[in-house]
């Protein structure tokens, strides 16, 4: 397994990441799981983060 993010940053290495919002619809869920995530995985990001809406409006579909 590769270096963790803290190790990359401590070494002054570049990190590559994605940030996205959780889908609001079932179709969006399918698109994320079947198309978006495989495409993102192919780029080998160091990490991905999911941001939910103001006041937690899309929080129900995220893991805490």
């Amino acid at each position: 397994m590769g270096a963790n993010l803290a190790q990359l940053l401590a070494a002054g290495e570049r990190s590559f990441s994605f940030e996205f919002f959780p889908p609001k619809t079932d179709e969006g869920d399918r698109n994320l799981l079947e198309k978006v995530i495989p495409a993102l995985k192919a780029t080998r990001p160091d990490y991905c983060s999911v941001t939910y809406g103001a006041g937690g409006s899309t929080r129900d579909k995220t893991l805490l």
Side-chain angles (χ1 to χ4, degrees), residues 3-48:
N4 69 37
L5 183 58
Q7 291 169 326
L8 290 171
L9 294 174
E13 297 290 328
R14 277 192 182 162
S15 69
F16 182 61
S17 66
F18 293 102
E19 178 181 17
F20 51 93
F21 290 92
K24 293 181 180 180
T25 65
D26 290 341
E27 181 180 355
D29 286 342
R30 281 189 300 277
N31 186 51
L32 178 68
L33 294 172
E34 295 172 6
K35 297 177 183 175
V36 176
I37 289 177
L40 295 178
K41 187 177 177 182
T43 66
R44 301 188 56 162
D46 295 301
Y47 66 96
C48 292

Side-chain angles (χ1 to χ4, degrees), residues 21-24 50-62:
F21 290 92
K24 293 181 180 180
V50 178
T51 302
Y52 51 82
S57 63
T58 55
R59 185 177 179 177
D60 291 343
K61 292 189 172 195
T62 62

